[in-house]
């Protein structure tokens, strides 16, 4: 069931989203060669808690496995999502790092991810980041009443395909609210039959739209830690995400300052 949010609910979600945006603003400033992903995690945790929120990802349950052990995900180069921060992993020149942040404020979740360059990056990585961010904006532009969820998926898929990269299929965007993952799923590609069955977008729906894009093919695998998702071919990948609300006037981005 898709849960519609009231004006009061959206006010709380805006606050959760603002905290997530503050974390991204601070971490963006920290990114440089030599910084550990554990240091990024510690800073994020501090900011989230200082604003009266809880890091949504910390202790997030894994079916039959270990719960997520950190407050943010730090995913470098061929790591797509769910990378675990470590005091043994330093950023290096030319890396790209995807940082995913979730904050729960008064029971409401904000969720946003961004892929950042570490110093100068190679041309393929630069085009990958541009394509993935651009596809996020293309998807968000479709998030308006009268459209269906699949219109978001189609815009993302087309934008990425035109630039010669591949949309990941095993992970998707989602509804967001009191839970980090709610209905509907927001695929980053058009699944067979989706045009007929896709839910209509309506005011009060809140979605985390999050294209994940690979330089090579779309396949991924999970490392032995049970969390870290890497591309199967070892090539680079990127991840951009905002939480948004559908309003009468179109999309409102919640994860902004
Ligand atoms: Mg996220």
């Amino acid at each position: 069931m898709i849960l519609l949010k009231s004006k009061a609910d959206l006010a709380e979600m805006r606050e959760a989203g603002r905290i997530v945006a503050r974390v991204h603003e601070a971490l963006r400033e920290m990114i440089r060669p030599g910084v550990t992903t554990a240091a990024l995690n510690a800073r994020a945790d501090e900011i989230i808690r200082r604003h009266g929120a809880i890091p949504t990802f910390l202790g997030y349950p894994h079916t039959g496995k270990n719960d997520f052990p950190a407050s943010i995900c730090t995913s470098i180069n061929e790591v797509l999502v769910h990378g675990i921060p470590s005091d043994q992993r330093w950023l290096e020149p030319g890396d790209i790092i995807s940082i995913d942040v979730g904050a729960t404020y008064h029971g409401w979740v904000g969720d946003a991810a961004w892929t950042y360059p570490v110093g100068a990056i190679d041309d393929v990585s630069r085009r990958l980041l541009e394509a993935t961010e651009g596809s996020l904006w293309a998807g968000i532009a479709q998030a308006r009443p009268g459209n269906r969820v699949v219109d978001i998926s189609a815009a993302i898929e087309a934008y990425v395909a035109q630039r010669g990269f591949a949309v990941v299929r095993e992970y998707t965007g989602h509804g967001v609210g009191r839970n980090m993952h709610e209905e509907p799923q927001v695929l980053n590609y058009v699944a067979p039959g989706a045009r007929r069955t896709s839910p209509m977008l309506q005011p009060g729906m809140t979605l985390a739209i999050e294209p994940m894009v690979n330089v090579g093919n779309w396949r991924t695998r999970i490392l032995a830690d049970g969390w870290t998702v890497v591309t199967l071919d070892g090539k680079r990948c990127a991840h951009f995400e905002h939480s948004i609300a559908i309003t009468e006037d179109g999309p409102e981005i919640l994860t902004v300052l």
Side-chain angles (χ1 to χ4, degrees):
M1 190 172 89
I2 297 175
L3 301 168
L4 299 181
K5 279 72 176 183
S6 68
K7 282 198 160 55
D9 297 341
L10 289 175
E12 299 276 35
M13 288 191 69
R14 243 172 242 127
E15 217 27 65
R18 192 169 295 133
I19 294 166
V20 168
R22 285 194 176 110
V23 172
H24 274 287
E25 183 186 45
L27 298 191
R28 182 192 297 267
E29 293 297 313
M30 281 179 72
I31 287 173
R32 65 177 62 86
V35 170
T36 67
T37 51
L40 298 170
N41 181 67
R43 180 90 172 105
D45 187 274
E46 185 266 318
I47 294 168
I48 291 168
R49 294 183 194 278
R50 178 153 47 83
H51 288 93
I54 296 165
T56 312
F57 302 165
L58 183 61
Y60 194 81
H62 192 311
T63 329
K65 291 258 190 173
N66 46 326
D67 296 345
F68 194 75
S71 299
I72 59 171
C73 302
T74 52
S75 305
I76 298 174
N77 298 340
E78 79 284 0
V79 181
L80 177 68
V81 287
H82 308 162
I84 299 172
S86 164
D87 58 9
Q88 299 300 310
R89 182 59 165 100
W90 293 263
L91 298 183
E92 293 176 11
D95 279 347
I96 55 173
I97 177 171
S98 303
I99 297 178
D100 199 346
V101 179
T104 306
Y105 179 80
H106 291 179
W108 295 94
V109 175
D111 187 5
W114 214 257
T115 305
Y116 301 100
V118 183
I121 58 175
D122 63 71
D123 187 55
V124 171
S125 298
R126 187 182 52 73
R127 286 190 290 111
L128 172 70
L129 267 50
E130 287 170 0
T132 312
E133 182 184 352
S135 75
L136 171 63
W137 297 118
I140 289 173
Q142 296 300 316
R144 53 184 63 255
N147 278 354
R148 293 178 184 269
V149 173
V150 69
D151 293 305
I152 299 171
S153 311
I156 291 170
E157 183 176 39
Y159 193 96
V160 171
Q162 282 159 15
R163 285 153 184 83
F165 298 118
V167 158
V168 170
R169 295 174 170 236
E170 291 130 322
Y171 302 91
T172 73
H174 46 85
V176 60
R178 286 197 175 276
N179 291 300
M180 180 160 60
H181 296 115
E182 296 183 356
E183 289 184 42
Q185 271 200 331
V186 184
L187 273 60
N188 295 312
Y189 66 100
V190 179
R195 290 267 174 216
R196 278 179 288 108
T197 57
S198 180
M200 295 293 299
L201 297 171
Q202 46 179 308
M205 286 175 63
T206 45
L207 306 174
I209 300 176
E210 50 176 327
M212 287 158 261
V213 175
N214 291 353
V215 166
N217 75 46
W218 58 266
R219 293 177 191 279
T220 64
R221 66 187 176 95
I222 301 173
L223 298 187
D225 62 22
W227 282 105
T228 308
V229 177
V230 299
T231 56
L232 192 61
D233 61 15
K235 294 182 180 172
R236 288 186 169 193
C237 47
H239 178 205
F240 286 75
E241 173 186 34
H242 270 308
S243 299
I244 65 111
I246 312 287
T247 78
E248 298 285 358
D249 304 322
E252 177 192 345
I253 298 172
L254 299 171
T255 36
V256 288
L257 292 175

